[in-house]
Amino acid sequence: MKRLYCFFLICLTVLCLPGCASMNPPISRQDFLLDTIVSVTLYDTHSQDILNGCMDVCRELDALFSPTKEGSDVYRINHAGGRPVAVDARTAELIRKSLEVSQLTSGAFDITIAPLVDLWDFKSQFPRVPSQHQIDEALSLVDYRAVQVEGNTVTLTNPKASIDLGGIAKGYIADRMRDYLLENGCQSAILDLGGNVYAMGKRTDGNNWTIGIRSPFDTQSQIGTLTVSDRSVVTSGPYERYFEVDGKRYHHILDPDTGYPVENGLASVTILSDQSTMGDALSTACFVLGPSEGEQLIQSLDQIDALFITDSRDIFSTGDLDFHKNS
Ligand code: AMP
Ligand code: MG
């Protein structure tokens, strides 16, 4: 068995090409948070305090949403045995949004996927394919309707159920980091949370940002670029975390109907949106729904666009995206 999940490559999913013409060089900081490399680059302010404050927002929310850190809100919900748990207002808000996306996608996006995520254990040093019996057992616990949020209290009505915010938390955190920067007068910045990018405002020379999209077929290179301003650009792809057994690849985006990694002809989905919370959840959801249902879903939503890349290397998008494929 060969362990191949490419943990440290996550941050290369989207490569930013700012090419900034400012007189003052941008200031930047990278930290290892959210199980990935989080990078913040500020172009129109040179305050280290704002840079550090922005990273503090990320650290604080990571401490609430981590499923493994004892005492985090998610840890307490998952270990409450079905009892109501008082959580931070931001945790309650994020879970509420997760449930909205579950409803919108008929359960393709489902944070109660956690027992399956634990079972597949893509972070393990020695990953293995679970037995059908184990998958059936974990699947019986997956149902977002077992999550109740009233005010800031969360209850899992199935005491054995648990939640995993891995498909939406980075987007939510990117939105809160953006809010912090705007409140502190910074309007031109790139937030990169392991490939989950928020391109704030415009470059200081007034031009839009150029964001490189990683090729799902050769993760060291870009397949093309998107030109955007003030947009979240989030990509979901199987290459972010996976292992191989007997030549077959098993990746981390799981089908809540079957309990297995999704296989539907999609190689990656990139969502462009104003709110990264929605972009993150929809990128995971569209990856589960597949090219045709995913496209229909995005077309039904205002101000949200998507770029789909299929296993057969077709690239198509909704809306009028400024995408240039590399030759
Ligand atoms: P992303 O990289 O944003 O597509 O999120 C993938 C992560 O979301 C996985 O590593 C799991 O933690 C979680 N996840 C996997 N499958 C699902 C699903 N069907 N619905 C919600 N979250 C999921
Ligand atoms: Mg996601």
Side-chain angles (χ1 to χ4, degrees):
M1 185 190 299
K2 201 171 167 193
R3 180 182 170 233
L4 277 176
Y5 82 80
C6 45
F7 182 64
F8 285 107
L9 289 179
I10 295 169
C11 61
L12 298 174
T13 305
V14 181
L15 304 164
C16 300
L17 309 169
C20 193
S22 166
M23 292 295 284
N24 286 314
I27 55 169
S28 186
R29 176 172 163 179
Q30 283 85 35
D31 281 12
F32 192 80
L33 288 168
L34 313 168
D35 240 359
T36 190
I37 295 169
V38 174
S39 158
V40 177
T41 309
L42 310 183
Y43 291 85
D44 62 348
T45 178
H46 301 92
S47 159
Q48 287 293 334
D49 285 349
I50 295 177
L51 186 61
N52 295 340
C54 184
M55 209 53 107
D56 288 345
V57 171
C58 183
R59 188 170 294 103
E60 196 188 329
L61 294 173
D62 184 23
L64 291 177
F65 303 152
S66 162
T68 50
K69 285 186 184 141
E70 279 191 39
S72 78
D73 278 353
V74 170
Y75 186 94
R76 290 187 305 112
I77 292 166
N78 289 347
H79 291 82
R83 287 183 296 278
V85 178
V87 296
D88 188 280
R90 294 163 293 183
T91 308
E93 183 188 26
L94 179 53
I95 294 177
R96 243 183 248 113
K97 285 191 192 289
S98 302
L99 298 177
E100 277 169 32
V101 179
S102 294
Q103 271 162 3
L104 183 68
T105 61
S106 308
F109 183 84
D110 191 331
I111 56 172
T112 64
I113 201 83
L116 279 165
V117 173
D118 293 344
L119 181 62
W120 282 93
D121 198 5
F122 291 96
K123 291 183 198 170
S124 163
Q125 260 193 302
F126 306 104
R128 53 180 181 73
V129 179
S131 70
Q132 188 60 50
H133 175 69
Q134 289 174 308
I135 287 179
D136 290 343
E137 234 177 355
L139 254 184
S140 71
L141 304 175
V142 177
D143 184 351
Y144 66 91
R145 288 164 296 194
V147 185
Q148 288 184 352
V149 190
E150 279 168 33
N152 294 337
T153 300
V154 179
T155 311
L156 299 181
T157 57
N158 180 343
K160 289 189 175 167
S162 51
I163 60 168
D164 175 316
L165 299 174
I168 188 170
K170 282 193 267 182
Y172 182 84
I173 294 172
D175 285 339
R176 300 296 74 82
M177 291 165 82
R178 172 210 56 199
D179 292 349
Y180 170 87
L181 290 177
L182 290 176
E183 281 160 19
N184 284 278
C186 174
Q187 291 172 339
S188 176
I190 294 284
L191 308 174
D192 185 347
L193 286 63
N196 193 320
V197 171
Y198 205 109
M200 281 180 62
K202 288 180 182 279
R203 296 177 2 170
T204 47
D205 62 5
N207 288 319
N208 291 342
W209 303 102
T210 303
I211 308 291
I213 302 299
R214 188 199 272 185
S215 166
F217 312 110
D218 169 9
T219 52
Q220 303 291 343
S221 68
Q222 292 176 27
I223 200 157
T225 55
L226 275 166
T227 306
V228 298
S229 67
D230 235 354
R231 295 285 262 173
S232 154
V233 181
V234 180
T235 301
S236 284
Y239 50 80
E240 285 175 12
R241 194 159 273 166
Y242 64 91
F243 62 82
E244 280 183 4
V245 175
D246 298 335
K248 185 167 168 53
R249 183 182 286 200
Y250 298 89
H251 67 81
H252 69 138
I253 303 178
L254 301 170
D255 186 335
D257 283 335
T258 65
Y260 282 85
V262 171
E263 280 183 73
N264 55 25
L266 263 185
S268 74
V269 188
T270 300
I271 304 287
L272 288 90
S273 56
D274 294 337
Q275 301 300 321
S276 196
T277 310
M278 204 56 178
D280 192 0
L282 287 175
S283 69
T284 309
C286 283
F287 198 87
V288 176
L289 290 171
S292 146
E293 269 192 74
E295 185 184 16
Q296 273 176 36
L297 170 67
I298 299 301
Q299 269 166 346
S300 73
L301 301 171
D302 278 344
Q303 312 282 343
I304 298 182
D305 285 310
L307 180 80
F308 296 87
I309 304 178
T310 69
D311 287 338
S312 49
R313 296 179 183 248
D314 288 333
I315 302 179
F316 64 96
S317 64
T318 65
D320 212 2
L321 294 191
D322 198 350
F323 176 73
H324 295 277
K325 189 173 179 301
N326 287 355
S327 45

